[in-house]
Amino acid sequence: MRLAELSERSGVPIATIKYYLREGLLAPGRQINARTAEYDEEHLRRLRLVRAMIQVGRLPVATVREVLGHVDDDSLGRALRLGAAVWALPQVPEPDEDDEYVRAAHQEAAALLDRLGWENAKRLSTISPAYRSLVVAVAAFRRLGYGFGAELLVPYAELMYRTAVLDLDNMETQPSEEERIEWAILGAIINEPILQSLHRLAQEEETTRRYGFE
């Protein structure tokens, strides 16, 4: 397809596509002559991914370029490509390791992983943004005087594990390795708000079931 058709099918203006091409977010098309290039379905798929990261995820171009670099690095195994791409997305700041609440949260998080038997998560805990986010959140609860330790977190973690299994099952239905990695990136950007919304809807349902509307 020519640039005009790529724009029409993707809903992305031609000027924006040219910008993505200049920034290296989209691979060049196959050159037909000095002024015309041809694009294919892979360009269309990648363009939609870039658009989702920038428009929905609000990611800066530099971050999108970094994420795509991991997506396209076929020298890595699937687990590393997934991890590197998702970890390149914006994360919470590093916690203050001198903070007593952070130290206590680390102990709670480690105890949680022990109780769950998540040995791989333990091995990745020193570099995992997800582990860091958990520590920051648990520390915030403790700082406010509320306990949210391993005992309370276990059933939540078990539910999330079932969700992760569904995520990967759905990812593996994608026809190519690149599309599986892209699916995971879209999941991190779009699926998490969906899960958060479903969680809140479930809370509304259960709250009104228990206490009524008054």
Side-chain angles (χ1 to χ4, degrees), residues 9 16 32 60 112 117 124 132-133 165 167 171 201 207:
R9 291 184 61 185
T16 303
I32 297 175
L112 171 67
L124 294 170
R132 184 166 66 243
S133 296
V165 170
D167 287 341
M171 181 194 73
L201 284 170
T207 299

PDB file of all heavy atoms in Angstrom, residues 9 16 32 60 112 117 124 132-133 165 167 171 201 207:
ATOM      1  N   ARG A   9      -6.067   3.660   6.399  1.00  0.00           N
ATOM      2  CA  ARG A   9      -6.381   2.432   7.140  1.00  0.00           C
ATOM      3  C   ARG A   9      -6.034   2.535   8.623  1.00  0.00           C
ATOM      4  O   ARG A   9      -6.688   1.912   9.460  1.00  0.00           O
ATOM      5  CB  ARG A   9      -5.662   1.248   6.512  1.00  0.00           C
ATOM      6  CG  ARG A   9      -6.200   0.863   5.143  1.00  0.00           C
ATOM      7  CD  ARG A   9      -5.511  -0.374   4.608  1.00  0.00           C
ATOM      8  NE  ARG A   9      -5.712  -1.536   5.468  1.00  0.00           N
ATOM      9  CZ  ARG A   9      -5.139  -2.719   5.272  1.00  0.00           C
ATOM     10  NH1 ARG A   9      -4.317  -2.879   4.241  1.00  0.00           N
ATOM     11  NH2 ARG A   9      -5.361  -3.726   6.090  1.00  0.00           N
ATOM     12  N   THR A  16       2.013  12.796  10.422  1.00  0.00           N
ATOM     13  CA  THR A  16       2.429  12.082  11.631  1.00  0.00           C
ATOM     14  C   THR A  16       3.209  10.826  11.274  1.00  0.00           C
ATOM     15  O   THR A  16       4.202  10.491  11.922  1.00  0.00           O
ATOM     16  CB  THR A  16       1.200  11.725  12.481  1.00  0.00           C
ATOM     17  OG1 THR A  16       0.478  12.917  12.797  1.00  0.00           O
ATOM     18  CG2 THR A  16       1.599  11.032  13.769  1.00  0.00           C
ATOM     19  N   ILE A  32       9.934   2.348  -4.182  1.00  0.00           N
ATOM     20  CA  ILE A  32       9.538   2.048  -5.560  1.00  0.00           C
ATOM     21  C   ILE A  32      10.289   2.957  -6.525  1.00  0.00           C
ATOM     22  O   ILE A  32      10.783   2.532  -7.567  1.00  0.00           O
ATOM     23  CB  ILE A  32       8.015   2.218  -5.735  1.00  0.00           C
ATOM     24  CG1 ILE A  32       7.285   1.211  -4.847  1.00  0.00           C
ATOM     25  CG2 ILE A  32       7.611   2.053  -7.200  1.00  0.00           C
ATOM     26  CD1 ILE A  32       5.789   1.377  -4.852  1.00  0.00           C
ATOM     27  N   PRO A  60       6.552   9.360  25.870  1.00  0.00           N
ATOM     28  CA  PRO A  60       7.375  10.199  24.987  1.00  0.00           C
ATOM     29  C   PRO A  60       8.016   9.359  23.896  1.00  0.00           C
ATOM     30  O   PRO A  60       8.191   8.141  24.037  1.00  0.00           O
ATOM     31  CB  PRO A  60       8.426  10.782  25.940  1.00  0.00           C
ATOM     32  CG  PRO A  60       8.466   9.845  27.098  1.00  0.00           C
ATOM     33  CD  PRO A  60       7.095   9.271  27.235  1.00  0.00           C
ATOM     34  N   LEU A 112       5.905 -12.368  51.261  1.00  0.00           N
ATOM     35  CA  LEU A 112       4.814 -12.704  50.342  1.00  0.00           C
ATOM     36  C   LEU A 112       5.298 -13.668  49.263  1.00  0.00           C
ATOM     37  O   LEU A 112       4.656 -14.702  49.001  1.00  0.00           O
ATOM     38  CB  LEU A 112       4.267 -11.428  49.700  1.00  0.00           C
ATOM     39  CG  LEU A 112       3.272 -11.622  48.556  1.00  0.00           C
ATOM     40  CD1 LEU A 112       1.979 -12.243  49.062  1.00  0.00           C
ATOM     41  CD2 LEU A 112       2.996 -10.293  47.851  1.00  0.00           C
ATOM     42  N   GLY A 117       5.628 -19.065  46.948  1.00  0.00           N
ATOM     43  CA  GLY A 117       6.545 -19.954  46.243  1.00  0.00           C
ATOM     44  C   GLY A 117       6.964 -19.423  44.887  1.00  0.00           C
ATOM     45  O   GLY A 117       7.321 -20.196  43.987  1.00  0.00           O
ATOM     46  N   LEU A 124      14.146 -12.026  40.399  1.00  0.00           N
ATOM     47  CA  LEU A 124      14.081 -10.777  39.641  1.00  0.00           C
ATOM     48  C   LEU A 124      13.821  -9.560  40.518  1.00  0.00           C
ATOM     49  O   LEU A 124      13.795  -8.431  40.013  1.00  0.00           O
ATOM     50  CB  LEU A 124      12.961 -10.881  38.592  1.00  0.00           C
ATOM     51  CG  LEU A 124      13.175 -11.897  37.470  1.00  0.00           C
ATOM     52  CD1 LEU A 124      11.895 -12.070  36.662  1.00  0.00           C
ATOM     53  CD2 LEU A 124      14.319 -11.456  36.567  1.00  0.00           C
ATOM     54  N   ARG A 132       9.371  -3.253  42.763  1.00  0.00           N
ATOM     55  CA  ARG A 132       9.597  -1.918  43.328  1.00  0.00           C
ATOM     56  C   ARG A 132       8.262  -1.207  43.580  1.00  0.00           C
ATOM     57  O   ARG A 132       8.070  -0.574  44.621  1.00  0.00           O
ATOM     58  CB  ARG A 132      10.470  -1.102  42.384  1.00  0.00           C
ATOM     59  CG  ARG A 132      10.846   0.264  42.936  1.00  0.00           C
ATOM     60  CD  ARG A 132      11.972   0.884  42.126  1.00  0.00           C
ATOM     61  NE  ARG A 132      11.577   1.208  40.766  1.00  0.00           N
ATOM     62  CZ  ARG A 132      12.103   0.664  39.685  1.00  0.00           C
ATOM     63  NH1 ARG A 132      13.027  -0.259  39.784  1.00  0.00           N
ATOM     64  NH2 ARG A 132      11.696   1.033  38.482  1.00  0.00           N
ATOM     65  N   SER A 133       7.334  -1.319  42.642  1.00  0.00           N
ATOM     66  CA  SER A 133       6.020  -0.691  42.818  1.00  0.00           C
ATOM     67  C   SER A 133       5.287  -1.269  44.022  1.00  0.00           C
ATOM     68  O   SER A 133       4.627  -0.544  44.767  1.00  0.00           O
ATOM     69  CB  SER A 133       5.172  -0.894  41.558  1.00  0.00           C
ATOM     70  OG  SER A 133       5.734  -0.239  40.454  1.00  0.00           O
ATOM     71  N   VAL A 165      -1.928 -15.776  33.885  1.00  0.00           N
ATOM     72  CA  VAL A 165      -2.063 -16.966  33.044  1.00  0.00           C
ATOM     73  C   VAL A 165      -2.975 -16.659  31.853  1.00  0.00           C
ATOM     74  O   VAL A 165      -2.667 -17.018  30.701  1.00  0.00           O
ATOM     75  CB  VAL A 165      -2.609 -18.150  33.861  1.00  0.00           C
ATOM     76  CG1 VAL A 165      -2.980 -19.311  32.946  1.00  0.00           C
ATOM     77  CG2 VAL A 165      -1.579 -18.607  34.890  1.00  0.00           C
ATOM     78  N   ASP A 167      -3.512 -13.696  30.572  1.00  0.00           N
ATOM     79  CA  ASP A 167      -2.780 -12.770  29.705  1.00  0.00           C
ATOM     80  C   ASP A 167      -1.873 -13.525  28.735  1.00  0.00           C
ATOM     81  O   ASP A 167      -1.872 -13.260  27.527  1.00  0.00           O
ATOM     82  CB  ASP A 167      -1.914 -11.831  30.552  1.00  0.00           C
ATOM     83  CG  ASP A 167      -2.721 -10.779  31.287  1.00  0.00           C
ATOM     84  OD1 ASP A 167      -3.871 -10.528  30.904  1.00  0.00           O
ATOM     85  OD2 ASP A 167      -2.183 -10.197  32.255  1.00  0.00           O
ATOM     86  N   MET A 171      -1.948 -13.981  24.732  1.00  0.00           N
ATOM     87  CA  MET A 171      -0.793 -13.548  23.952  1.00  0.00           C
ATOM     88  C   MET A 171      -0.350 -14.646  22.996  1.00  0.00           C
ATOM     89  O   MET A 171      -0.001 -14.375  21.834  1.00  0.00           O
ATOM     90  CB  MET A 171       0.352 -13.183  24.896  1.00  0.00           C
ATOM     91  CG  MET A 171       1.605 -12.688  24.179  1.00  0.00           C
ATOM     92  SD  MET A 171       3.056 -12.662  25.251  1.00  0.00           S
ATOM     93  CE  MET A 171       3.423 -14.415  25.391  1.00  0.00           C
ATOM     94  N   LEU A 201     -15.638  -1.817  39.358  1.00  0.00           N
ATOM     95  CA  LEU A 201     -17.027  -2.223  39.100  1.00  0.00           C
ATOM     96  C   LEU A 201     -17.431  -3.372  40.020  1.00  0.00           C
ATOM     97  O   LEU A 201     -18.557  -3.403  40.541  1.00  0.00           O
ATOM     98  CB  LEU A 201     -17.195  -2.642  37.641  1.00  0.00           C
ATOM     99  CG  LEU A 201     -17.258  -1.513  36.614  1.00  0.00           C
ATOM    100  CD1 LEU A 201     -17.180  -2.079  35.208  1.00  0.00           C
ATOM    101  CD2 LEU A 201     -18.545  -0.698  36.787  1.00  0.00           C
ATOM    102  N   THR A 207     -20.461  -3.979  47.023  1.00  0.00           N
ATOM    103  CA  THR A 207     -20.843  -3.005  48.063  1.00  0.00           C
ATOM    104  C   THR A 207     -22.346  -2.809  48.100  1.00  0.00           C
ATOM    105  O   THR A 207     -22.985  -2.828  49.161  1.00  0.00           O
ATOM    106  CB  THR A 207     -20.155  -1.646  47.807  1.00  0.00           C
ATOM    107  OG1 THR A 207     -18.740  -1.836  47.858  1.00  0.00           O
ATOM    108  CG2 THR A 207     -20.564  -0.618  48.857  1.00  0.00           C
TER     109      THR A 207
END
